[in-house]
Amino acid sequence: MKLSPIVAQLRLRCSLFAGRVFGGIDWESLEDASKLPMPAAYVIVTDDDPDPNKYQNVAAQDVKDGFDVCVVLEAPDNKTLERVDQVHDVRALLHLALVGWPPMPNYDPVEYEGGQLVLINRYRLVYRFSFSAGWTLGRTKGSDPPETWEEWQHDGFPRLEGIDIDVDAIDPMVDKNLKQQGPDGRIELTMKGDLPQ
């Protein structure tokens, strides 16, 4: 899954961050950048989880892509619970911005997976909210571009224009002068079917 649509959606829908929404591959690579003004959010790719292939004759797998939104807030000051309560408020904002939204074409809507405290110190609190969205590997229409090697290979085959069938009957049409039992090597029936292109 691409991160740029998610980052753009959060910048558009979550004014709390004032545009301070960034993306990366893991939290460690973003941790130094997280010292920017707060509150801020960092979108991180987490995993993709494929199901086994659904069919025996064609590649088609359901895949769930995961991502985290790590939110950096000012640390609680032990005098008031407002900053702790802000985690709940931020979660509600993220749900409003992401849950039910399809992040890319051919993706299912985003689902919420849960949250977890990542870091807390005297200055900041980092809380991770996990989300996922599913998609299917393998095209659904023949006019779509190939998504697998098998589809690419099949696209290189010539189009099926028709079928020719020759029938050599076993019995009772066998020619006893040629053989006692069929098939005798003589074609008794020929069929041809052209397929519209």
Side-chain angles (χ1 to χ4, degrees), residues 1-2 6 44-50 62-68 103-104 107-111 113 130-135:
M1 169 187 312
K2 293 182 180 179
I6 300 166
I44 300 166
V45 174
T46 56
D47 60 356
D48 64 350
D49 184 19
D62 291 331
V63 182
K64 185 165 74 169
D65 283 354
F67 65 94
D68 288 344
M104 292 175 58
Y107 269 75
D108 295 332
V110 170
E111 295 180 3
E113 298 280 334
S130 298
F131 298 89
S132 68
W135 58 285

Side-chain angles (χ1 to χ4, degrees), residues 1-196:
M1 169 187 312
K2 293 182 180 179
L3 290 184
S4 51
I6 300 166
V7 169
Q9 177 77 348
L10 290 174
R11 285 179 179 167
L12 177 69
R13 305 284 299 171
C14 294
S15 59
L16 171 72
F17 302 123
R20 293 182 298 269
V21 180
F22 310 96
I25 199 70
D26 63 4
W27 173 250
E28 286 75 26
S29 64
L30 293 172
E31 194 168 4
D32 288 337
S34 70
K35 295 177 178 133
L36 294 171
M38 297 175 271
Y42 301 86
V43 182
I44 300 166
V45 174
T46 56
D47 60 356
D48 64 350
D49 184 19
D51 288 343
N53 198 36
K54 295 195 259 187
Y55 310 111
Q56 292 181 353
N57 62 343
V58 66
Q61 290 180 269
D62 291 331
V63 182
K64 185 165 74 169
D65 283 354
F67 65 94
D68 288 344
V69 179
C70 293
V71 176
V72 182
L73 304 169
E74 289 184 44
D77 60 6
N78 296 328
K79 296 178 184 172
T80 176
L81 292 176
E82 286 180 22
R83 290 184 185 161
V84 175
D85 289 346
Q86 194 174 15
V87 172
H88 177 82
D89 296 338
V90 167
R91 182 181 67 181
L93 286 173
L94 294 176
H95 289 175
L96 190 59
L98 296 174
V99 175
W101 169 71
M104 292 175 58
N106 300 323
Y107 269 75
D108 295 332
V110 170
E111 295 180 3
Y112 179 60
E113 298 280 334
Q116 179 181 12
L117 180 67
V118 175
L119 171 117
I120 187 165
N121 60 28
R122 292 174 43 194
Y123 307 105
R124 59 192 176 134
L125 175 147
V126 180
Y127 206 90
R128 173 186 12 239
F129 298 94
S130 298
F131 298 89
S132 68
W135 58 285
T136 300
L137 174 62
R139 63 181 168 204
T140 54
K141 294 187 291 188
S143 59
D144 291 342
E147 294 180 1
T148 65
W149 176 85
E150 179 184 47
E151 291 171 352
W152 174 81
Q153 183 188 40
H154 287 178
D155 285 354
F157 293 157
R159 293 181 67 81
L160 181 61
E161 296 175 355
I163 300 173
D164 297 338
I165 302 172
D166 293 332
V167 178
D168 182 0
I170 295 175
D171 275 327
M173 296 171 67
V174 66
D175 185 347
K176 303 289 185 193
N177 294 322
L178 297 174
K179 261 183 146 181
Q180 277 306 102
Q181 279 184 280
D184 58 13
R186 186 180 63 158
I187 302 301
E188 283 87 17
L189 179 64
T190 299
M191 294 180 278
K192 182 175 175 103
D194 293 328
L195 300 174

